Every structure is written in C-alpha cells, then in structure tokens.
Amino acid sequence: MKNLIFIFLVFPFLVKSQNITVSSSSELIVAYKNAVPGNVIILENGKYDGKLVFEKNSGKINLPITIKATSRGKVEVHSKIQIKGDHINIEGLTFVENGSLVLLGKEIRVSHCKWDNSKSKKWLQILAGSSLTEIDHNTFQNKNYNSKYLKGCQLLQIVVSNKNERHHIHHNKFKKIKEGNGNGFETLQLITNKNPFDPLPGACNTIIEDNFFEMANGEAEIISIKSNGNIIRRNVFKNCKGSLVLRHGDNNNVSSNFFFGSDENKSGGIRIQGSGHFISNNFFQNLGTFGIGMMDGTTDDLYVRVSDVQVLYNTFVNCYNTFEIGINHSKHPNGSTPMNCLVEGNIFFFDSAQNDSSFIKFVKDDQPVGWSWKNNISFGKINPKISGINNLNPNFTYSKNGILLPSKNTPYSFNLYTDKKSLVEEDIFGRKRKKKKTLGAIQFYKSIPKEIINEEIFGANH
C-alpha cells in the first residue's frame, strides 16, 4: 500500500492518463473541456459537425491532450475545428464537406489526417503566435472548389512573425489541387504577419521537408515563402502548374528537391526574390517555364532586389529557359537587376531540340551586377556563352524511371568557391561528396541510390 501511494505522489500523470470515447460533437466538446494532460479522446466512427471550438485547455510537455479517430478515414469532420491551446495532438481525422482546421498554440501536432474535396477556402491555418507546430503524414487532395472563390484560398497557410517559430511540415501529400482565379490559391503559404514586402530581421526557422506535390495547380506559387530563415528540402514536385517561390524575405535555404514537369507545360522550378538565399543540390527536369527564375527589384519593394544568392551544384535537364535572370513585373518593366550572386558547380543539359529556349536568359538583355560563375558546364544549345560555363558532355546514364545519373566520366571539381561548403558536402540523396566532387546535384557512386527505384521518388516515405 505504501508503494502504491508513493507512485501516485511521485508520478501523478499515471492516474490522470486515460482514454475517453465519444460518439458525437457535443460529447467531444465536453470531453475536451474536462480533459487533463495525457488524456486521449477517441472519436467513434461517424460524422462530427457544428461549432467545434476548443480552447482554455492544454496538455503538458510529453503529456499532450490527444483527439484521435477510432479508425482512420471513418471519422468525418464536416465543419471547422478551432483549437487554442498548447501540447495538443490531432490524429487520423478526415475533413470533408466544410471541414477545416485552425490552430493557435505551442506544440500542436496534426498527423495522419486527410482533407478530401472540402468546400472550405482554407483547409488548415496556423495562426500568428503559434510555435513548434508539426504537420506530418497527412493527405490533402481534390481541392476542387478553388474556382468558386476569388481569393484567400491558401490550402495550408502558416502565419509567423519571424521569431523562431520552428514549425515542421513533413511527409505530407498534396494532390490534385484545382487552378484558382488568380492570386491567393497557394498550396502552402508561409507568410509573415501583415505581409510586409521586406520583412524585418529575424528568423522563423521553419522546416518544410519530404513532402510530395502532384498536380498542385492552385496558382503560380505552389509553395510561397514570405518569411526569413527557413529550410525547404527533399520535397518532390510532379506535373504542377507553378513553382516554389521565395516571394518575400531573406536567408532561406532550398536544397535537395526534385522538380518534374514532363506532362505540364506551365511547370516551373524555383523563383527568387530577396537576399542571402542558398539554392543547392536540386534536380530540375522537363520544366515548361524555367528551372530557376530571378525577378528584377522594384522601387516599391513589391519585388525586393535579388542579391547575394548562391546557386550551387544543381542539375537542369531539358528545362525551357533553364536559368531566367531579371524577370519583370508587368507594372515595373525596368527594375533593378540581380546582384552579387555566385553560380557554382551546376549542370545545364539539353538532349532534345529546344529551338526557342536557352540555358541562360537575361530578360531584356539586362546583365546582372557583380556575379561570379564557377565550374559550371552546359551541353546542347549554347546560348549565351559565359566565362565559368564550359561546354562539356556530362556523360549521363539513365535510371529505369528516367532520372539522369552521373557516370565515372561526368565532370567534377576539386575546388569549392562557396563560403558555405557545408551545403554541398552531401548530394541530393544525402551521400557524402568525394574529393572529386561531381558537378550537379548527384555525386557519382558505383551503386545506384535506392530512392530512385521507387516509381514515386521517395514515395515510400510519404
């Protein structure tokens, strides 16, 4: 008996942690209101709707309050859920009809949920003031109602203040997002609160990684980054109308992403504004607009001048206007050209006729300012000739699913000119680069990376 009392006093959470089963929206609201840290509220299969507002309650570190489906795919949420609290888990819910989710708090996790053809404008919002939100292993598909609205239809919107929010968005699928009516239909938007064109110093430190985007066609910005100091890595974009866009903000790192556009002529890679970004180890293939595009700056900072960006060890294969520099906004036809950038270790490759395309396109023939080109190669149509880009055959080999891999004869470099050598110590698959650093995103090894065996690159991890 004394031992039992000791356990209760020293480890009180052992007696508080319990499962609570509910079968209706009203029961769910009551269960959440009365929940204590460590409780797991289990939703029986069925429909949940009405005013689902959960606030004034929180879990604790390592003792979250969990709202969980009995069976994934069989607990349907038909209306908006609003949660204000800390240390909350949401697991296995399916959002349909008008289902959506709004979060405000610290350490909220949403995992193994599904959004399917919801009529809501925004499907998942993380509000300013939140931190350490984790969104993982969810499916977002069939956003078919974008054409019904004029704007404000970001599928996943994260609002931050660049104060070390450290959100983590990983291992999600975004599929079949219908095209909207213009701006405001991003699949994923990471935006500084009140959307300043040039956010004040500070870093958000959010990581967006290992996600899969297929036919994410909401608008020209699939992922729109309007924030400072984030990492976007190891994502796959397949046949999407749009690009990954660094729209506002500085010092973002975009690395080890795959962009495939073979069946979509509006597909793009990465579009850049702002300063201090690093673009490394990305693979671009068969894109219909550009591999990388840089905007000219504008006097009103609608587009902040590109400066001090490093483009390192990327591979471009059969992309229309592979690298487009100095793109103009229609309202600002003569902006300030990109300046002080380093382009090193990249492969620009065509193996098919691209009569009206080019490797490097200077829009309106405006030359960038203070650029450095080091150890790049091009193969195919040469336009224009630039010191630092040599015309050499990369001697690629093809994998079974069409990925171009380097061979032992692919050009390499011993030297690194970048001051961020850590960014290219590994290749796109996370393998260490050798002393002979193969140009492009993939380091030559005799063994083929296991990841490219999958029909869907990294598909098994999503």
Side-chain angles (χ1 to χ4, degrees):
M1 183 66 179
K2 289 182 179 180
N3 290 338
L4 186 60
I5 293 173
F6 173 78
I7 291 174
F8 285 0
L9 291 175
V10 177
F11 302 106
F13 60 85
L14 292 177
V15 296
K16 291 182 179 179
S17 180
Q18 60 177 317
N19 292 347
I20 303 166
T21 300
V22 301
S23 59
S24 67
S25 297
S26 58
E27 289 179 3
L28 173 58
I29 292 169
V30 171
Y32 184 87
K33 182 179 179 180
N34 295 324
V36 298
N39 279 176
V40 179
I41 303 171
I42 299 176
L43 281 63
E44 291 188 344
N45 297 340
K47 174 182 176 180
Y48 294 79
D49 59 6
K51 189 175 181 181
L52 299 172
V53 178
F54 304 104
E55 55 186 19
K56 298 180 180 178
N57 203 352
S58 293
K60 293 181 179 179
I61 295 175
N62 299 322
L63 284 174
I65 294 173
T66 299
I67 300 174
K68 182 178 182 179
T70 298
S71 305
R72 293 179 189 173
K74 295 185 178 181
V75 173
E76 294 187 349
V77 179
H78 287 243
S79 57
K80 180 189 291 185
I81 293 179
Q82 295 176 269
I83 293 177
K84 182 179 180 181
D86 301 333
H87 311 292
I88 309 294
N89 287 352
I90 309 293
E91 297 180 20
L93 308 184
T94 297
F95 293 82
V96 296
E97 195 59 30
N98 294 301
S100 64
L101 181 60
V102 180
L103 307 176
L104 174 59
K106 179 180 180 180
E107 290 195 17
I108 300 177
R109 183 184 181 193
V110 180
S111 63
H112 299 97
C113 292
K114 186 178 191 177
W115 279 256
D116 193 352
N117 198 27
S118 171
K119 298 176 184 177
S120 295
K121 295 175 73 175
K122 291 180 171 68
W123 284 6
L124 174 53
Q125 292 176 273
I126 302 171
L127 301 182
S130 300
S131 63
L132 296 167
T133 309
E134 184 175 8
I135 309 296
D136 67 285
H137 295 90
N138 303 286
T139 297
F140 303 87
Q141 66 183 25
N142 301 316
K143 197 170 191 291
N144 295 322
Y145 286 85
N146 278 344
S147 61
K148 305 294 183 181
Y149 305 108
L150 294 178
K151 59 182 179 179
C153 294
Q154 293 84 4
L155 185 155
L156 169 53
Q157 184 182 57
I158 308 165
V159 185
V160 299
S161 300
N162 296 318
K163 294 182 178 179
N164 198 30
E165 284 86 357
R166 291 172 290 162
H167 301 304
H168 192 193
I169 315 300
H170 65 99
H171 292 96
N172 302 287
K173 286 185 178 180
F174 301 86
K175 303 179 71 173
K176 297 182 180 179
I177 314 303
K178 286 290 183 68
E179 194 168 359
N181 295 298
N183 291 329
F185 295 86
E186 297 91 336
T187 298
L188 195 165
Q189 183 189 62
L190 177 61
I191 183 170
T192 302
N193 196 24
K194 300 183 180 179
N195 191 25
F197 291 168
D198 193 8
L200 294 173
C204 174
N205 294 318
T206 284
I207 298 176
I208 300 169
E209 62 183 354
D210 297 310
N211 301 288
F212 183 78
F213 298 82
E214 183 175 17
M215 298 176 66
N217 299 335
E219 63 146 274
E221 301 182 17
I222 305 165
I223 296 180
S224 181
I225 303 296
K226 299 184 174 184
S227 169
N228 302 329
N230 304 287
I231 297 173
I232 305 96
R233 65 189 175 197
R234 297 195 307 268
N235 302 285
V236 177
F237 301 83
K238 183 178 179 182
N239 294 338
C240 299
K241 291 182 180 179
S243 307
L244 190 168
V245 179
L246 304 181
R247 182 63 185 86
H248 297 320
D250 304 316
N251 304 317
N252 292 293
N253 184 335
V254 182
S255 63
S256 301
N257 300 283
F258 281 92
F259 299 83
F260 301 109
S262 56
D263 299 322
E264 178 49 65
N265 60 13
K266 292 184 180 180
S267 57
I270 302 169
R271 176 155 56 89
I272 302 169
Q273 293 87 48
S275 66
H277 304 302
F278 295 96
I279 314 297
S280 62
N281 286 330
N282 299 287
F283 190 97
F284 308 84
Q285 185 165 326
N286 297 325
L287 300 178
T289 56
F290 51 75
I292 288 179
M294 289 185 174
M295 299 290 296
D296 270 358
T298 59
T299 54
D300 62 357
D301 282 341
L302 174 64
Y303 290 88
V304 174
R305 187 178 194 178
V306 175
S307 65
D308 302 289
V309 170
Q310 296 192 28
V311 180
L312 310 171
Y313 283 78
N314 302 281
T315 299
F316 303 84
V317 177
N318 295 334
C319 296
Y320 184 85
N321 291 337
T322 297
F323 196 161
E324 194 165 1
I325 302 168
I327 302 170
N328 297 112
H329 190 277
S330 58
K331 294 181 180 179
H332 302 271
N334 293 300
S336 54
T337 57
M339 63 183 291
N340 299 339
C341 296
L342 171 65
V343 182
E344 178 183 357
N346 302 281
I347 297 178
F348 306 104
F349 176 81
F350 286 148
D351 67 351
S352 59
Q354 303 259 348
N355 294 328
D356 58 346
S357 62
S358 58
F359 286 127
I360 310 297
K361 180 179 179 181
F362 299 121
V363 177
K364 296 190 175 182
D365 294 322
D366 285 344
Q367 296 290 322
V369 178
W371 275 44
S372 180
W373 306 79
K374 300 290 184 182
N375 289 338
N376 305 282
I377 66 170
S378 64
F379 184 77
K381 180 181 176 182
I382 307 302
N383 180 25
K385 291 184 178 180
I386 296 173
S387 177
I389 304 180
N390 297 316
N391 182 25
L392 294 172
N393 189 338
N395 294 298
F396 284 136
T397 61
Y398 281 85
S399 67
K400 290 182 179 180
N401 63 354
I403 304 299
L404 272 71
L405 299 174
S407 69
K408 65 180 180 179
N409 296 318
T410 301
Y412 57 84
S413 174
F414 287 108
N415 299 318
L416 285 175
Y417 292 87
T418 174
D419 60 350
K420 294 291 184 180
K421 294 179 173 56
S422 62
L423 296 180
V424 289
E425 285 179 351
E426 297 179 345
D427 73 354
I428 194 170
F429 294 111
R431 301 177 305 172
K432 289 288 186 181
R433 290 192 185 272
K434 301 178 181 180
K435 186 175 181 180
K436 291 182 177 180
K437 296 171 180 59
T438 306
L439 301 183
I442 303 173
Q443 173 70 35
F444 171 69
Y445 280 83
K446 291 182 180 179
S447 61
I448 297 175
K450 67 180 185 303
E451 290 88 350
I452 69 169
I453 297 172
N454 300 328
E455 290 184 11
E456 215 172 76
I457 298 279
F458 306 134
N461 295 325
H462 290 82

